[in-house]
């Protein structure tokens, strides 16, 4: 049986090539992602180790509930402590540091790589040689006064900054301008992974990030032969108790590597998603291929059974073929995965997010995963055909083809209907929930998965009615169209298995495209319904706000009718935490479209708030009622009077309060988070936007957005998800095309004599090619129609949950995208049939008819 399996494998190597390619794609994504993850993690660790290579111990202020961080640093980390640490045995050098964050503008005035936790700033602290070893100079010189600045090489390149340019930047407050005098290099992985670095002179860094004469940290290098842990213990012994702490350089390198790895870990998920989809879709190609091989070798298997082969031996023979195919595909996929791993850093290092480069790390988990996934999926997919082969009786050597039994069709139909009822029932039950909670979303995803499974099970039974319906179109091509339809109906199970790949990918893309389009338009309507302002000025990060003085400058800008400051804070109410917006009751009506069901915004004041409809309903309160709540941190609960209830409004958040009160109780008293701007003409233009940017000092920390930009930002997550889905469609297209090529090639081989007869009775080569192509297009159309039906139904059910989060949500079909998906699927069917059609047309009539 082993020799038989090897002989069959070699005899059908061309037909199994498509299966190998399908498995190879999945294995390549899995192994490539794992190698990429291991290599990137090692590169992060190596980069962090280099960054802290000359740091044995770092001294920082210790957290204390009774003192703020600035007070700790001002009272502890100074030059006196630095001199004291220099006398500790084993300390070779002491280098104080004053670190913080700063965002910069590029040369054209646009914010440069504004990213929380990645816009680093520090004081350039020269040593005895006049240089700061952490930041080797590449060009120019170090900053020496408060008017000068240095940046890293990556920041200068990204921002098109040159020595002598005036750079606009901000730390956490007013905008500053500095003259660029130097460009440095750095090994800090936070910067090399997509951040920026700004360097000030020592005095300026202390003033901005600590206090004059004080530091945020003190780095110590060790004398040769000194252990870091031992040095840390010696340093701790001389530090002020409960005021400062010592951390080894190795520990810092590890923490930084973990931090950067966490920030970039999302890059690993995308290839893994593609791997899962390709393997899932590819499994149908494997099942179909082995099923067709078993059906084609029915006589051969029956003859083996007649001469003494047991059922177990027959099954093992088929599984052995699958094992060998899986091994070949795994090996090829692993090699392809190495190529994917080598190019992924370059592909994912976009938009300023640069991943560290290093040699590929091929760990045992990558090799095991490649073999396990490739062999496991192939053998598992071949298990059903192997069982079917084992059931072939010796008497079936006299039959020409396997015919599906009626009982099997009834069992399939019953199972499919059960799955359909369960999946559709779960989705329909959620349409009344109107609640996009995590639990409901998980339930919806499970319902969609069951629905897809039901379509896969029912596909062979649905093939006949659907193909007869679409056959009216192919019938317009005359006899070749009629033959194509009948050929597709000849084996509904094979047709369904071939169409399954396109069905799954079409369902994914159609469903997400509908939800994405509906969400985008809902966000647009929501912004139009809730925002009366033409522009919103806000911060790029949640830790900084808008300079309160900028509100007056914006209000005085030419073309501005109204400019209202909004302070956002937290409201602790009903055992939960919600967002509250502090507004000016007299001007908020001009910039927010508030629809009060009761009460009025004019009644806001001390001790008086307004609630959104959802929040009021959750707390069982109406206008005139009282709620127990408090604003901001560290406050005590008090009674607030509800002076109004308004329809949910994302611009107004969950509650409204008088800005004077909200500002006093916010995390940063006196802060402003947003400025809502209404222009005289009620229109937006680039000129007005530039004027507003000038009014806020062209601060790189701030965004000036019109309504369309706000909607685009809000829909960013969905847009990214759609891009992933389109990537999945591409995978499904490739594997679907492989499946169609494989099926049509084997179908042509099975129908050699039939094609010979058609050629003998007068059908020309063009007619043969047209018949094969139309059959392939019919199969593709069947899978596309099922996929569209499942995707649209799932989008309708899941979209109802979004209606609970967005009142303006309604189902809007993206007709252009859906039409493009349909045309693309039909084109795949036509292109995939090109080679089998050419082979069929090339058959000699006499040789084909004479084939035994």
């Amino acid at each position: 049986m082993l020799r038989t399996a090897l002989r069959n494998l070699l005899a059908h190597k061309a037909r199994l090539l498509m299966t190998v390619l399908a498995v190879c794609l999945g294995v390549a994504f899995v192994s490539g992602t794992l190698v990429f993850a291991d290599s990137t993690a090692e590169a992060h660790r190596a980069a962090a180790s280099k960054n802290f290579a000359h740091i044995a111990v770092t001294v920082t202020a210790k957290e204390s509930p009774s003192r703020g961080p600035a007070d700790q640093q001002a009272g502890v980390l100074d030059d006196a402590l630095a001199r004291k640490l220099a006398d500790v045995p084993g300390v070779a050098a002491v280098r104080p540091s004053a670190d913080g964050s700063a965002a910069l503008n590029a040369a054209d005035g646009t914010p440069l790589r504004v990213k929380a936790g990645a816009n680093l700033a520090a004081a350039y602290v020269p040593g005895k040689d006049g240089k700061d070893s952490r930041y080797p100079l590449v060009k120019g010189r170090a900053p020496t006064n408060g008017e000068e600045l240095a940046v890293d090489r990556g920041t200068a390149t990204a921002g098109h900054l040159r020595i002598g340019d005036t750079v606009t930047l901000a730390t956490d407050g007013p905008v500053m301008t500095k003259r660029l005098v130097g460009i440095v290099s750095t090994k800090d992985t936070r910067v090399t992974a997509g951040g920026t670095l700004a360097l000030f002179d020592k005095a300026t860094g202390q003033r901005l990030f600590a206090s004059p004469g004080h530091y945020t940290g003190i780095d110590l290098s060790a004398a040769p032969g000194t252990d870091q842990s031992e040095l840390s213990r010696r340093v701790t012994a001389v530090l002020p108790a409960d005021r400062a702490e010592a951390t080894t350089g190795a520990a810092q390198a590890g923490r930084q590597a973990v931090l950067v790895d966490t920030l970039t870990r999302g890059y690993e998920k995308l290839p893994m998603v593609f791997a899962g989809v390709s393997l899932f879709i590819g499994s149908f190609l494997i099942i179909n291929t082995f099923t067709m091989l078993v059906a084609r070798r029915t006589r051969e298997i029956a003859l083996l059974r007649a001469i003494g082969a047991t059922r177990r031996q027959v099954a093992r023979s088929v599984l052995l073929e699958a094992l060998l195919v899986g091994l070949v595909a795994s090996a090829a996929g692993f090699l392809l995965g190495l190529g994917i791993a080598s190019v992924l850093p370059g592909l994912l290092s976009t938009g300023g997010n640069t991943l560290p480069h290093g040699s590929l790390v091929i760990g045992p988990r990558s090799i095991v995963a490649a073999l396990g996934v490739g062999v496991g999926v192939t053998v598992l997919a071949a298990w059903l055909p192997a069982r079917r082969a084992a059931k072939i009786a010796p008497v079936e050597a006299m039959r020409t083809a396997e015919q599906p039994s009626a009982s099997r069709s009834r069992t399939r139909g019953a199972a499919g209907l059960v799955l359909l009822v369960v999946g559709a029932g779960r989705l329909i039950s959620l349409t009344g929930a109107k609640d996009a909670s995590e639990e409901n979303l998980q339930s919806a995803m499970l319902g969609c998965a069951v629905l897809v499974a039901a379509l896969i099970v029912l596909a062979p039974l649905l093939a006949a009615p659907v193909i007869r319906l679409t056959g009216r179109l192919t019938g317009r091509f005359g006899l070749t169209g009629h033959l194509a339809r009948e050929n597709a109906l000849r084996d509904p199970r094979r047709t369904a298995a071939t169409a399954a790949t396109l069905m799954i990918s079409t369902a994914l893309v159609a469903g997400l495209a509908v939800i994405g389009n509906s969400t985008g338009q809902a966000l647009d309507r929501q912004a139009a319904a809730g925002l009366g302002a033409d522009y919103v000025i806000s911060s790029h990060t949640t830790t900084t706000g808008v300079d309160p003085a900028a509100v007056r400058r914006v209000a005085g800008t030419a073309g501005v009718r109204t400019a209202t400051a909004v302070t956002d804070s937290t409201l602790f109410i009903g055992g939960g935490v919600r967002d509250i917006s502090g507004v000016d009751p007299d001007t908020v009506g001009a910039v927010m479209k508030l629809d009060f069901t009761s009460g009025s915004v004019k009644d806001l004041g001390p001790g008086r708030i307004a609630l959104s409809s959802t929040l009021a309903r959750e707390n069982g309160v109406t206008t005139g009622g009282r709620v127990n709540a408090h604003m901001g941190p560290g406050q005590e609960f008090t009674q607030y009077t509800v002076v109004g209830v308004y329809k949910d409004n994302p611009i107004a958040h969950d509650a409204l309060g008088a800005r004077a009160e909200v500002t006093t109780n916010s995390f940063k008293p006196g802060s402003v988070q947003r400025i809502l701007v209404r222009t005289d003409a009620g229109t937006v233009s680039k000129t007005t936007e530039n004027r507003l940017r000038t009014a806020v000092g062209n601060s790189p920390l701030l965004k000036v957005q019109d309504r369309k930009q706000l909607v685009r930002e809000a829909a960013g997550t969905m847009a990214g998800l759609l891009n992933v889905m389109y990537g999945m469609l591409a995978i499904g297209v490739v594997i679907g095309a492989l499946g169609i090529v494989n099926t049509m090639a084997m179908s042509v081989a099975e129908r050699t004599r039939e094609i010979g007869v058609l050629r003998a009775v007068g059908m020309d080569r063009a007619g043969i090619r047209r018949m094969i192509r139309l059959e392939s297009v019919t199969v593709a159309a069947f899978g596309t129609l099922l996929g569209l039906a499942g995707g649209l139904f799932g989008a309708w059910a899941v979209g109802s949950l979004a209606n609970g989060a967005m009142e303006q949500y309604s189902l809007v079909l993206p007709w252009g995208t859906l039409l493009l998906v349909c045309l693309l699927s039909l084109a795949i069917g036509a292109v995939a049939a090109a080679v089998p059609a050419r082979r069929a047309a090339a058959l000699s009539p006499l040789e084909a008819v004479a084939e035994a």
Side-chain angles (χ1 to χ4, degrees):
M1 295 304 296
L2 176 60
R3 288 195 296 272
T4 301
L6 292 174
R7 181 182 59 79
N8 286 329
L9 188 64
L10 294 175
H12 303 101
K13 54 182 179 294
R15 297 171 189 173
L16 291 172
L17 178 61
M18 303 302 172
T19 301
V20 171
L21 289 175
V23 179
C24 179
L25 285 176
V27 172
F29 278 113
V30 171
S31 59
T33 301
L34 293 177
V35 171
F36 163 71
D38 292 340
S39 303
T40 303
E42 181 60 31
H44 284 154
R45 286 190 290 269
S49 297
K50 290 180 181 178
N51 192 39
F52 290 93
H54 302 292
I55 299 176
V57 176
T58 295
V59 177
T60 56
K62 183 179 291 186
E63 294 290 338
S64 172
S66 61
R67 296 182 300 271
D71 293 334
Q72 298 169 38
Q73 295 160 359
V76 181
L77 307 180
D78 55 12
D79 290 322
L81 180 61
R83 289 191 295 268
K84 186 177 180 179
L85 293 173
D87 296 331
V88 173
V91 173
V94 176
R95 185 178 60 231
S97 60
D99 301 333
S101 63
L104 298 85
N105 276 343
D108 60 1
T110 58
L112 178 64
R113 295 181 182 176
V114 179
K115 184 179 179 182
N119 300 114
L120 307 185
Y124 188 91
V125 183
K128 294 179 181 180
D129 59 354
K131 299 179 180 179
D132 191 332
S133 59
R134 293 179 302 172
Y135 310 113
L137 281 165
V138 176
K139 190 175 183 181
R141 60 177 176 83
T144 57
N145 59 63
E147 301 302 319
E148 297 177 345
L149 178 77
V151 300
D152 71 285
R153 184 163 38 194
T155 299
T157 301
H160 303 288
L161 301 173
R162 295 179 295 180
I163 299 295
D165 286 353
T166 298
V167 181
T168 303
L169 69 154
T171 53
D172 185 11
V175 176
M176 300 178 289
T177 57
K178 309 283 184 184
R179 187 167 62 91
L180 184 64
V181 298
I183 297 176
V184 304
S185 64
T186 179
K187 298 175 182 177
D188 194 318
T189 49
R190 292 169 295 178
V191 179
T192 58
T196 60
L197 173 65
L199 296 177
F200 304 92
D201 67 290
K202 177 180 174 181
T204 302
Q206 289 177 322
R207 176 175 54 83
L208 290 174
F209 308 124
S211 61
H214 296 84
Y215 306 98
T216 59
I218 301 176
D219 297 330
L220 310 176
S221 58
T226 304
D227 180 70
Q228 287 190 2
S229 299
E230 176 61 28
L231 183 60
S232 177
R233 286 191 290 269
R234 295 174 189 172
V235 169
T236 301
V238 302
L239 292 177
D242 301 326
R243 300 292 301 278
E245 61 183 349
T247 307
T248 63
Q252 293 179 78
R255 291 176 186 175
Q256 185 166 315
V258 170
L259 172 62
V260 178
D261 184 57
T262 301
L263 293 174
T264 57
R265 189 174 298 163
Y267 294 132
E268 303 173 18
K269 297 180 180 179
L270 185 61
M272 289 299 286
V273 170
F274 287 152
V277 172
S278 60
L279 286 171
F280 179 68
I281 297 177
S283 64
F284 291 95
L285 174 56
I286 299 169
I287 293 173
N288 203 25
T289 300
F290 278 95
T291 299
M292 294 173 69
L293 287 175
V294 168
R296 180 135 173 92
R297 287 157 41 197
T298 298
R299 288 186 174 184
E300 176 187 331
I301 294 173
L303 185 59
L304 289 173
R305 293 278 288 116
I307 62 176
T310 64
R311 291 187 174 185
R312 181 173 296 180
Q313 287 177 315
V314 170
R316 286 178 178 175
S317 175
V318 176
L319 291 177
L320 180 59
E321 291 181 40
L323 175 64
L324 295 174
V325 169
L327 287 173
V328 173
S330 298
F334 185 76
L335 294 177
L336 180 59
L338 295 181
I340 291 176
S342 64
V343 301
L344 273 178
L347 294 176
L348 297 177
S349 297
T350 57
N353 297 316
T354 304
L355 297 177
H357 289 272
S359 58
L360 292 180
V361 177
I362 304 175
R365 72 165 184 165
S366 304
I367 300 174
V368 171
L371 291 174
V373 169
V375 175
V377 169
T378 307
V379 173
L380 185 62
W383 180 69
L384 285 176
R387 287 190 60 197
R388 192 171 299 143
K391 292 180 180 179
I392 295 177
V395 71
E396 294 191 37
M398 304 300 296
R399 299 180 184 176
T400 59
E402 179 191 7
Q403 300 296 329
S405 65
S407 61
R408 186 180 301 167
S409 298
R410 286 194 295 269
T411 301
R412 176 185 290 271
L417 287 175
V418 170
L419 290 173
L420 184 65
V421 170
V422 172
R426 178 176 285 272
L427 290 176
I428 292 174
S429 67
L430 293 172
T431 57
K434 305 294 184 183
D435 178 15
S437 65
E438 183 177 354
E439 181 181 354
N440 282 340
L441 287 175
Q442 290 178 350
S443 183
M445 293 301 101
L446 178 60
C448 289
V450 175
L451 181 63
V452 170
L455 291 177
I456 292 173
V457 174
L458 290 174
L461 304 180
L462 296 173
V466 173
I467 291 176
R468 286 195 178 95
L469 178 64
T470 59
R472 296 181 180 180
L473 297 177
T474 57
R476 296 179 179 273
F477 291 89
L479 178 62
T480 55
H482 175 75
L483 289 174
R485 182 190 64 187
E486 294 304 315
N487 288 335
L489 290 172
R490 180 176 298 184
D491 191 341
R493 190 166 54 200
R494 177 189 301 178
T495 299
T498 305
T501 55
L502 287 177
M503 180 190 73
I504 296 170
S505 56
T506 301
L508 284 171
V509 174
L512 265 296
V514 171
I515 293 176
N517 184 65
S518 302
T519 302
Q521 297 201 25
L523 289 171
D524 196 13
R525 289 191 296 269
Q526 194 176 62
L531 181 64
D534 299 304
Y535 289 95
V536 176
I537 302 174
S538 59
S539 174
H540 276 283
T541 64
T542 58
T543 57
T544 59
V546 183
D547 181 9
V551 180
R552 293 188 297 272
R553 297 196 299 270
V554 170
T557 300
V560 172
R561 178 190 301 176
T562 305
T564 298
V566 178
T567 297
D568 296 322
S569 186
T570 53
L571 180 70
F572 296 83
I573 180 174
V577 181
R578 295 302 185 98
D579 295 323
I580 184 169
S581 298
V583 298
D584 184 348
D586 296 327
T587 60
V588 67
V591 292
M592 285 188 190
K593 296 180 180 179
L594 298 170
D595 187 359
F596 275 80
T597 57
S598 60
S600 171
V601 71
K602 300 292 185 182
D603 296 327
L604 292 177
R608 300 193 299 272
I609 60 176
L611 303 181
S612 66
S613 299
T614 299
L615 188 56
R617 183 173 61 254
E618 289 177 354
N619 288 273
V621 66
T622 58
T623 300
R626 296 175 67 83
V627 293
N628 196 35
H630 76 82
M631 302 178 193
Q635 305 295 322
E636 294 184 358
F637 279 92
T638 185
Q639 290 287 318
Y640 282 90
T641 301
V642 178
V643 297
V645 176
Y646 57 93
K647 291 185 177 180
D648 290 4
N649 187 321
I651 307 301
H653 291 162
D654 304 306
L656 289 172
R659 197 172 81 84
E661 182 177 20
V662 176
T663 301
T664 303
N665 296 302
S666 65
F667 285 89
K668 188 177 181 181
S671 65
V672 173
Q673 274 67 51
R674 293 177 288 163
I675 304 177
L676 306 184
V677 181
R678 184 76 177 270
T679 62
D680 290 331
T683 58
V684 298
S685 66
K686 192 63 178 178
T687 301
T688 303
E689 181 180 339
N690 291 336
R691 289 174 180 170
L692 294 175
R693 290 189 181 278
T694 302
V696 295
N698 288 318
S699 174
L701 294 173
L702 301 182
K703 298 179 289 185
V704 179
Q705 298 172 294
D706 58 32
R707 183 179 300 159
K708 289 184 178 180
Q709 292 169 330
L710 285 169
V711 171
R712 194 181 305 120
E713 182 180 70
T717 302
M718 181 57 68
L721 190 58
L722 283 177
N723 289 335
V724 172
M725 289 300 108
Y726 293 143
M728 291 183 182
L729 174 62
I731 293 175
V733 164
V734 172
I735 298 179
L738 294 176
I740 293 176
V741 171
N742 207 25
T743 299
M744 298 308 302
M746 297 182 75
S747 179
V748 167
E750 289 178 354
R751 304 202 306 261
T752 298
R753 298 182 68 182
E754 176 184 324
I755 293 172
V757 171
L758 290 175
R759 292 280 287 116
V761 298
M763 183 174 285
D764 57 10
R765 296 179 185 273
I768 295 294
R769 288 195 296 268
R770 189 182 308 116
M771 178 184 70
I772 300 300
R773 288 197 186 102
L774 288 176
E775 180 181 351
S776 178
V777 170
T778 299
V779 173
F782 171 61
T784 302
L785 288 176
L786 279 189
L788 284 176
L792 294 179
F793 181 79
W796 167 74
V798 175
S800 65
L801 299 179
N803 186 255
M806 291 182 289
E807 187 177 348
Q808 291 82 3
Y809 183 93
S810 61
L811 195 69
V812 181
L813 299 181
W815 293 107
T817 302
L818 297 179
L819 179 60
L820 181 61
V821 170
C822 292
L823 293 177
L824 181 60
S825 297
L826 296 179
I828 291 168
V831 172
V835 174
R838 187 167 61 249
R839 289 183 59 189
L843 290 174
S844 169
L846 293 179
E847 292 179 1
V849 171
E851 184 180 277

